[in-house]
Amino acid sequence: MSAGVGRIPRPLDGIALRDWAHTAVLHLIAHTDEINRLNVYPVADADTGTNMLFTMRAAAAQADEAVKAAGNDVVAVSAALSAGALHGARGNSGVILSQILRGVADVVAEAASQRGEDRECGEITAPEFTAALHHAQVLAVASVGQTVPGTIVSVLQAAALEAENQNGLTDLAIMAAAVSDAAAVALERTPDQLDVLAEAGVVDAGGRGLLVLLDALTATLSGGSAARPLYQPGAGHPRADHDHDHNNHEIGGTPPQFEVMYLLGDCHPDNVEVLRARLLRLGESVAIAAAVAGGQYSVHVHADDAGAAIEAALDLGTVSRIQVTALIGAAGARPSGGWSRDRAVLAIVDGDGAGELFGSEGAHVLRPDDGPISAQQFLAGLVGTGAAQIMVLPNGFLAAEELVAGCATAISWGMDVVPVPAGSMVQGLAALAVHDATRQAVDDGYTMARAAAGARHGSVRIATEAALTWAGRCRPGDGLGIAGDEVLIVGHDLVSAASGLIDLLLSSGGELVTVLTGAGVDPEVGVALAEHVRQEHLAAELVTYHTGHRGDALLIGVE
């Protein structure tokens, strides 16, 4: 176990629970393709990792709202995680994951009730963690209606037993690490328990996803977790294009055509088994998960007749959020209704002011840390939008190879991603100004791309050393007006260089000049440039925003 050295373990309070959800999303992003390659049970549709990722993302988004509303209230955050996972559950594995989170919520709420506390500053104790795992196991079995050895339920059972063995501990971080290690051992045993896994040479995909979640918890509490091997199909594994004949080991023949999911509200508990029996006559992989509040259920089934699977519930309650996904010949197909919004814009920006500016225009914002953005960070931003279609504004902060890798992976997970060629934040603003979510994605993307391309842009920086440029010699402290990769203007200071660059950009026409000022730039620079435009370019208007970006002092665009 490589826990964080010298770090004091965190209590598992409301904030930590929310942070765990986000850490779990990041870890699932890193392992989604690995988990998908292991997916042979109950149907070899290569989506277990994707389903767990988007289910956990929905839970994390709900936890964010709970923290905003209730702060560090562990009861509220755990309930939000459960509700978010139930409403956003994707696939059989997502339904089971929602029940694991419900297990935590139920136990935390019961403990608070018994103590007569609101638990606003409370935390999940080691005994409560143990009880939550045991309760989650019971709920998971109830949701699928049977116990099949060698699945995620087996791994969950091993985790619960190890927590019970460690129950004398008060350090939850140490207990979580031990539980994760026990889950890893149980995961290695799954091929010995389920023939379809042994034949394919894989461990259980859902169990691998659960191990990712447990390792993420350890990392959240202690700062580090154990290094795990890469779990992959064994030598000679026949699964190449999702076309081998492994499916439910109890049901032979051709797998069903559709995965059907929906929420069922206002349903009496006695009718759950009625619905389960109906669905079992229509298909397989039936899972029915209950919400913390009674009467609402997440329903999942694989069936040939999607309509009949939906109709089976119509007289038992209120059906909503219907998702139907083709299982045959449609790997990566996007389920209808499985997203919190149809379309979003993801803008990669730098600086507090830039974040506020793009955010106020409706974009989701991804900001680089100290170094360049990786494909994994980019994927986390895409997933975080919760949208089925995402228009991406790289704005010069994302390398082409990372952009392509991230988009390709997201598309393979069923997301529609449209990168807009914006090479600067000023081009990104021009594209964002014409974004219209009511248009078709291809039309929206084309319109945004035209707007970005139509914004001529450059930047101004301060010279740090003497050099010979295309515009002549520069000295330290001079202002350098840059367009493309070349220095076109050398001025004695920032304002003179920026004025010269604006004149050059406006020489081909233009009505609006946008100036973004970086970290440490005096506000008077914007005032001076506005006066220059007023005097020299009567038909043009200049607007200035302080974005606080790093690097070039000014970013300038002309439309």
Side-chain angles (χ1 to χ4, degrees):
M1 228 295 288
S2 57
V5 177
R7 172 170 168 173
I8 299 175
R10 293 179 66 180
L12 190 53
D13 53 19
I15 300 297
L17 201 57
R18 186 274 312 272
D19 292 348
W20 164 70
H22 284 284
T23 301
V25 167
L26 291 175
H27 285 205
L28 283 169
I29 285 173
H31 292 282
T32 287
D33 290 335
E34 174 192 355
I35 296 169
N36 285 344
R37 286 191 292 269
L38 301 173
N39 180 198
V40 299
Y41 177 85
V43 173
D45 47 4
D47 64 357
T48 293
T50 308
N51 288 339
M52 295 186 80
L53 168 61
F54 284 106
T55 301
M56 200 66 208
R57 190 218 66 81
Q62 197 82 2
D64 283 338
E65 295 303 314
V67 169
K68 291 177 183 177
N72 200 18
D73 186 341
V74 71
V75 175
V77 175
S78 60
L81 283 172
S82 174
L86 184 82
H87 293 159
R90 291 270 297 267
N92 203 29
S93 55
V95 172
I96 294 174
L97 174 54
S98 75
Q99 294 305 275
I100 294 173
L101 295 177
R102 181 192 161 190
V104 177
D106 284 352
V107 169
V108 170
E110 177 64 21
S113 176
Q114 289 179 354
R115 297 176 185 176
E117 301 172 358
D118 61 13
R119 300 297 294 281
E120 185 174 349
C121 297
E123 62 187 72
I124 298 175
T125 64
E128 290 169 10
F129 180 61
T130 302
L133 289 175
H134 279 293
H135 185 43
Q137 179 192 344
V138 173
L139 292 172
V141 172
S143 69
V144 296
Q146 61 180 335
T147 302
V148 178
T151 64
I152 184 175
V153 177
S154 300
V155 179
L156 179 58
Q157 180 182 31
L161 289 174
E162 182 61 27
E164 190 172 332
N165 293 336
Q166 299 283 337
N167 216 16
L169 292 174
T170 57
D171 190 327
L172 188 55
I174 295 176
M175 175 184 280
V179 165
S180 294
D181 290 340
V185 173
L187 179 65
E188 296 282 358
R189 291 199 301 263
T190 56
D192 300 327
Q193 299 171 296
L194 194 55
D195 289 344
V196 69
L197 301 180
E199 293 168 12
V202 297
V203 297
D204 180 65
R208 177 64 182 112
L210 177 58
L211 179 58
V212 170
L213 300 179
L214 292 172
D215 281 340
L217 178 61
T218 302
T220 301
L221 296 177
S222 63
S225 60
R228 307 294 180 194
L230 176 65
Y231 296 91
Q232 54 189 344
H237 177 36
R239 184 178 188 287
D241 297 306
H242 322 310
D243 58 355
H244 68 89
D245 61 358
H246 287 309
N247 48 66
N248 191 318
H249 74 299
E250 297 179 345
I251 302 176
T254 305
Q257 295 185 63
F258 301 106
E259 177 184 63
V260 181
M261 293 194 68
Y262 49 84
L263 291 180
L264 178 61
D266 305 318
C267 177
H268 192 279
D270 293 344
N271 287 329
V272 171
E273 294 309 314
V274 174
L275 176 60
R276 189 188 306 277
R278 292 176 181 178
L279 295 177
L280 285 171
R281 287 194 292 270
L282 293 169
E284 58 190 58
S285 298
V286 176
I288 304 176
V292 175
Q296 189 173 53
Y297 300 86
S298 177
V299 181
H300 171 277
V301 64
H302 292 169
D304 286 323
D305 191 339
I310 297 167
E311 291 172 4
L314 293 181
D315 64 334
L316 302 179
T318 303
V319 176
S320 63
R321 295 181 64 110
I322 299 170
Q323 305 176 34
V324 178
T325 308
L327 292 174
I328 298 177
R334 175 167 60 88
S336 61
W339 310 88
S340 59
R341 69 196 69 221
D342 289 332
R343 191 178 307 161
V345 175
L346 177 66
I348 304 173
V349 305
D350 187 36
D352 292 339
E356 294 174 2
L357 177 59
F358 279 82
S360 67
E361 295 297 320
H364 290 256
V365 170
L366 177 63
R367 294 176 57 180
D369 296 323
D370 294 332
I373 291 179
S374 66
Q376 183 175 337
Q377 290 172 307
F378 175 44
L379 273 169
L382 292 172
V383 171
T385 65
Q389 299 171 330
I390 304 108
M391 323 303 289
V392 178
L393 299 174
N395 293 335
F397 296 113
L398 185 63
E401 58 271 22
E402 304 294 341
L403 174 67
V404 171
C407 288
T409 300
I411 290 169
S412 75
W413 293 350
M415 305 165 71
D416 293 338
V417 184
V418 180
V420 178
S424 168
M425 287 197 290
V426 288
Q427 285 191 310
L429 285 172
L432 188 57
V434 299
H435 164 61
D436 184 353
T438 64
R439 289 193 295 247
Q440 289 189 349
V442 65
D443 186 12
D444 196 23
Y446 178 72
T447 303
M448 294 176 72
R450 283 192 61 186
R456 300 185 299 280
H457 68 99
S459 62
V460 182
R461 68 183 61 163
I462 299 298
T464 57
E465 59 185 25
L468 181 63
T469 75
W470 283 104
R473 292 187 177 277
C474 70
R475 296 172 297 175
D478 283 349
L480 306 178
I482 302 168
D485 295 325
E486 301 296 341
V487 175
L488 302 182
I489 302 292
V490 175
H492 61 83
D493 61 9
L494 196 61
V495 172
S496 62
S499 298
L501 183 60
I502 289 172
D503 293 342
L504 189 62
L505 293 173
L506 283 172
S507 64
S508 300
E511 300 175 348
L512 177 64
V513 180
T514 302
V515 177
L516 307 183
T517 60
V521 174
D522 193 314
E524 291 302 315
V525 170
V527 175
L529 294 177
E531 180 61 21
H532 172 77
V533 169
R534 189 184 69 81
Q535 292 186 5
E536 302 295 331
H537 305 279
L538 297 180
E541 176 188 1
L542 183 142
V543 293
T544 303
Y545 301 102
H546 181 67
T547 54
H549 61 266
R550 294 164 291 183
D552 292 336
L554 304 176
L555 301 177
I556 300 174
V558 170
E559 301 172 59

